[in-house]
Amino acid sequence: MTPDSKQPLKIAAKLLLAWIVLSALGYFYGQHLIDLMLPLMRGFAQNITDDFYINLAWQEENSRMLMIEANFGIPKMSIQALGINPGATVSAGTNIEHILVPLILLFLLVLCWPLTTLKQRGLLLLLSLPAALITLLMTTPFLLVGKVESLLQEQASAMRVVREKPAYLDWMLFTEVGGRWLLPISLGLLCVWLLNAFFIGQAADKEREATK
């Protein structure tokens, strides 16, 4: 087997090892990370809709399930038309593994992208932090709010009441059919592009300095 033919095997082994390590870290420490982000996620989720008041918390019976508790307070007329009483609450949830998959994909790309120096790797990891935050906020809050809205849509259909389909529900459905994979990969590639642009700019500056 030639050195060139071994290269795909090395890449595959590196990807597999990184996936195992990231999955293990996610399993043991992912919930602590999400705990730190819950206030931000809660505020972001509330900005998605004003149809109900939102609380996010871990389920008591299953501590790996993140639940949304949607309280309707004094419901809007469109909500009252669905037979929902004042103060009614609806819950839905998703598990921690589902939340972490997009983040694992992002860091898998960042850790396995071929680079030549530790400085480049460190900068790429630094660039990936805001990308990870965007990934988290654009997936889980939309998923949880979208699940509540899906219940409202089902109720409207059962009662033959016309309820407008909000744009965020389309986004939630898109992420669930593949967008939650596409988003972190796209953001990871953007981080790589920004890194390359930075080092190309540095090289150009050095070349200009050398010609003076």
Side-chain angles (χ1 to χ4, degrees), residues 98-110:
H98 193 82
I99 295 171
L100 292 176
V101 165
L103 297 178
I104 289 174
L105 282 172
L106 171 64
F107 286 107
L108 184 67
L109 187 151
V110 166

Side-chain angles (χ1 to χ4, degrees), residues 44-54 76 145 149 163 168:
F44 189 85
Q46 190 64 77
N47 284 326
I48 296 173
T49 182
D50 60 358
D51 283 341
F52 41 83
Y53 301 104
I54 291 171
K76 293 181 176 180
V145 174
E149 177 60 34
R163 178 170 174 79
Y168 69 76

Side-chain angles (χ1 to χ4, degrees), residues 11-211:
I11 294 173
K14 185 177 181 181
L15 285 168
L16 180 60
L17 179 61
W19 181 273
I20 291 172
V21 170
L22 288 170
S23 297
L25 289 173
Y27 182 82
F28 290 109
Y29 302 107
Q31 193 166 352
H32 300 297
L33 171 65
I34 301 303
D35 269 334
L36 293 175
M37 302 305 299
L38 272 184
L40 181 60
M41 292 169 63
R42 187 182 300 116
F44 189 85
Q46 190 64 77
N47 284 326
I48 296 173
T49 182
D50 60 358
D51 283 341
F52 41 83
Y53 301 104
I54 291 171
N55 185 45
L56 300 181
W58 299 105
Q59 189 180 53
E60 290 184 7
E61 297 82 4
N62 181 359
S63 62
R64 297 186 71 80
M65 284 288 293
L66 181 62
M67 304 298 295
I68 179 172
E69 185 179 89
N71 187 293
F72 291 93
I74 301 175
K76 293 181 176 180
M77 292 300 295
S78 60
I79 301 294
Q80 291 182 31
L82 303 179
I84 295 176
N85 298 320
T89 298
V90 173
S91 297
T94 186
N95 59 50
I96 185 67
E97 290 78 15
H98 193 82
I99 295 171
L100 292 176
V101 165
L103 297 178
I104 289 174
L105 282 172
L106 171 64
F107 286 107
L108 184 67
L109 187 151
V110 166
L111 290 173
C112 295
W113 193 267
L115 296 172
T116 55
T117 66
L118 285 176
K119 179 183 179 181
Q120 291 175 338
R121 185 73 63 195
L123 285 174
L124 186 56
L125 281 169
L126 191 62
L127 287 170
S128 70
L129 295 180
L133 179 60
I134 293 170
T135 297
L136 181 62
L137 293 179
M138 294 303 292
T139 51
T140 302
F142 281 97
L143 172 61
L144 293 171
V145 174
K147 283 191 171 189
V148 175
E149 177 60 34
S150 294
L151 295 174
L152 297 178
Q153 293 288 334
E154 290 174 9
Q155 180 74 356
S157 178
M159 297 185 67
R160 297 185 178 180
V161 174
V162 177
R163 178 170 174 79
E164 185 179 351
K165 187 178 178 183
Y168 69 76
L169 186 58
D170 289 325
W171 173 256
M172 184 273 276
L173 294 172
F174 167 71
T175 58
E176 287 303 293
V177 297
R180 72 192 193 102
W181 293 64
L182 181 62
L183 178 63
I185 291 172
S186 299
L187 289 173
L189 292 175
L190 175 61
C191 291
V192 171
W193 180 82
L194 290 172
L195 181 75
N196 288 335
F198 173 76
F199 278 100
I200 289 172
Q202 272 198 335
D205 289 341
K206 287 180 180 179
E207 187 175 340
R208 280 194 294 270
E209 288 292 329
T211 56

